[in-house]
Amino acid sequence: MKVFAGNSNRILAESICNYLNIPVGNATVRRFADQEIFVEIKENVRGEDVFIIQSTSYPANDHLMELLIMTDAARRASAQRITAVLPYFGYARQDRKPGPRTPISAKLVSNLITEAGANRVLTLDLHAGQIQGFFDIPTDNLFAVPILARDIKDHYDVSNVMVVSPDTGGVVRARALAKRLDALLAIVDKRRDRPGESEVMNVIGDVDGKDCILIDDIVDSGGTLCNAAEALLKNGATSVTAYITHGVLSGGAVARVTSSKLTELVITDSIQPTTAVQNAHNIRVISTASLIGEAINRTASESSVSSLFD
Ligand code: R5P
C-alpha cells in the first residue's frame, strides 16, 4: 500500500501514516504561475494499492482539483487500485435540488472523483448518508461517534448528560451518540411560521438542569450551534458543550464560538485547524488518524471496515 497526500491536511496525513507505520508517499503538488495545479508522483506506484488523502475543505475548489489531478496521475502511473480518502467531503451539503434550475453538486463531485480514476472512496461523517449512493464505486462512510463518545467519557461526567441535535436533520446522529452514552436525547426544532418572521427555536425534551452535549456533522458559520446553545440555556440547561466532526469554521465563526456561552466546542482534525482555531480558548481538536488509519489498513487487507463500529 502507498499513501499520498494533497495539500489540504498534511498533518493528518502524516499522523495516519504514523499509525500505519509507513512514510507519506513522495509526491509534489505545485502551481504554475496562473495557479494551474501540477502533480508529480516521485516513486513507483505500478501495481500498488494507492490511497490519496485530501479533504475538499477551504479552498474547496483548489483542494478538489488537487485530488482529481493526483488521482489522474496515479491512474496513469498504473496504480492497481486507487482509494480517494476524503476526511471531509466538501460540497456534501448540496445533495438535493433546493429549487428549480439548481444543481446537485454533491453528485457532480462524486462523478468527477470517479471519472478521475478512483476505484474506492473512504470518507467520514458524510453530511447525508445517501451521498454514498452518488458513487457507483465502493464507498465507506466512517463515523466519528465512537471517538466522540470516548472523549466525552474521558472529559465529562455523563450521569447528567443530555445529547441534543441542533436540528431535526441530525437526529439519527444524535441518537447514535445518546445510545453509546446511555443518555437521553433532545432536539432543537427551528421554525419560521410565516415568511419574514424570525426563526423560533423550540426545544423538544426537558433540558432543565442538564449538561447538554450538542452533536452535529458540520460547524460552518457557527450560527446553528450558537443559536441552539442559547435556546438550551434559556430552557434551563446547566451547561452546553458541542461535539462536531467537521470544523469548517468560516468567516467570523471562531469569534462567534469564543464569545458564546459554550463550555467547549470539540471538533476533529478532518479539516486542518487554522491558527485561530488552535488559539481559541474553548475549541479543542481531537484526532481521527487512528480511525482513518485503521480503515485504510482494513481496506488494504480486504477485511471488514464496518466492524470498526460494532
Ligand atoms: C446542516 O444541516 C448541518 O448539519 C450543519 O448544522 C450546518 O451546516 C451548520 O452550519 P452553520 O454553522 O453555518 O450554521
Side-chain angles (χ1 to χ4, degrees):
M1 138 190 26
K2 292 210 172 173
V3 176
F4 293 89
N7 285 317
S8 70
N9 203 336
R10 295 283 310 185
I11 298 171
L12 175 59
E14 274 158 24
S15 307
I16 291 171
C17 285
N18 267 345
Y19 177 88
L20 294 167
N21 216 6
I22 55 171
V24 181
N26 190 2
T28 52
V29 182
R30 49 192 180 83
R31 303 290 160 113
F32 290 163
D34 66 353
Q35 296 302 303
E36 264 184 33
I37 294 160
F38 176 72
V39 167
E40 199 173 354
I41 297 177
K42 295 193 155 172
E43 55 188 274
N44 181 31
V45 292
R46 194 174 287 271
E48 296 280 0
D49 197 4
V50 167
F51 294 82
I52 302 172
I53 301 173
Q54 177 81 326
S55 282
T56 47
S57 51
Y58 177 87
N61 302 327
D62 286 358
H63 286 154
L64 174 62
M65 271 316 279
E66 273 187 16
L67 172 65
L68 299 176
I69 293 172
M70 288 184 84
T71 305
D72 184 73
R75 176 174 62 162
R76 290 175 199 285
S78 306
Q80 187 238 319
R81 182 173 70 170
I82 303 166
T83 304
V85 182
L86 294 97
Y88 170 66
F89 185 97
Y91 279 100
R93 284 173 287 181
Q94 298 187 48
D95 61 344
R96 72 194 74 186
K97 286 185 70 162
R101 298 172 297 284
T102 55
I104 303 181
S105 305
K107 172 63 180 157
L108 171 64
V109 169
S110 309
N111 288 347
L112 290 170
I113 292 171
T114 310
E115 282 303 311
N119 305 106
R120 304 186 60 92
V121 170
L122 179 61
T123 187
L124 173 69
D125 273 348
L126 273 174
H127 175 63
Q130 64 268 22
I131 295 170
Q132 225 172 346
F134 288 4
F135 290 97
D136 284 329
I137 52 177
T139 300
D140 289 302
N141 179 26
L142 306 176
F143 304 111
V145 158
I147 304 176
L148 307 185
R150 202 175 317 129
D151 190 85
I152 293 167
K153 285 179 184 162
D154 287 349
H155 289 84
Y156 294 96
D157 170 14
V158 290
S159 62
N160 193 41
V161 155
M162 189 130 187
V163 174
V164 185
S165 172
D167 53 35
T168 47
V171 175
V172 172
R173 186 177 298 110
R175 197 186 297 130
L177 179 64
K179 208 170 153 197
R180 279 185 186 257
L181 299 178
D182 200 15
L184 295 168
L185 177 67
I187 301 161
V188 178
D189 176 36
K190 278 185 286 192
R191 226 173 256 192
R192 197 189 305 273
D193 281 339
R194 271 171 287 278
E197 281 186 6
S198 62
E199 255 177 3
V200 182
M201 313 288 283
N202 296 308
V203 177
I204 304 169
D206 184 7
V207 297
D208 193 16
K210 293 285 184 190
D211 294 312
C212 290
I213 295 196
L214 279 160
I215 176 167
D216 209 347
D217 59 330
I218 294 171
V219 51
D220 188 350
S221 67
T224 304
L225 173 62
C226 294
N227 292 340
E230 284 281 330
L232 294 169
L233 290 167
K234 266 194 204 140
N235 279 263
T238 309
S239 67
V240 184
T241 303
Y243 277 77
I244 300 188
T245 310
H246 307 297
V248 176
L249 294 166
S250 314
V254 173
R256 191 169 290 136
V257 170
T258 50
S259 58
S260 74
K261 295 196 182 100
L262 279 169
T263 307
E264 191 177 38
L265 163 63
V266 181
I267 54 175
T268 79
D269 56 358
S270 66
I271 295 174
Q272 192 160 296
T274 59
T275 313
V277 170
Q278 285 164 5
N279 293 337
H281 71 91
N282 62 349
I283 304 181
R284 185 160 56 86
V285 182
I286 57 177
S287 185
T288 55
S290 55
L291 174 67
I292 296 175
E294 186 52 32
I296 289 177
N297 212 2
R298 291 180 183 211
T299 303
S301 61
E302 307 285 359
S303 47
S304 168
V305 169
S306 66
S307 61
L308 269 173
F309 305 101
D310 289 344

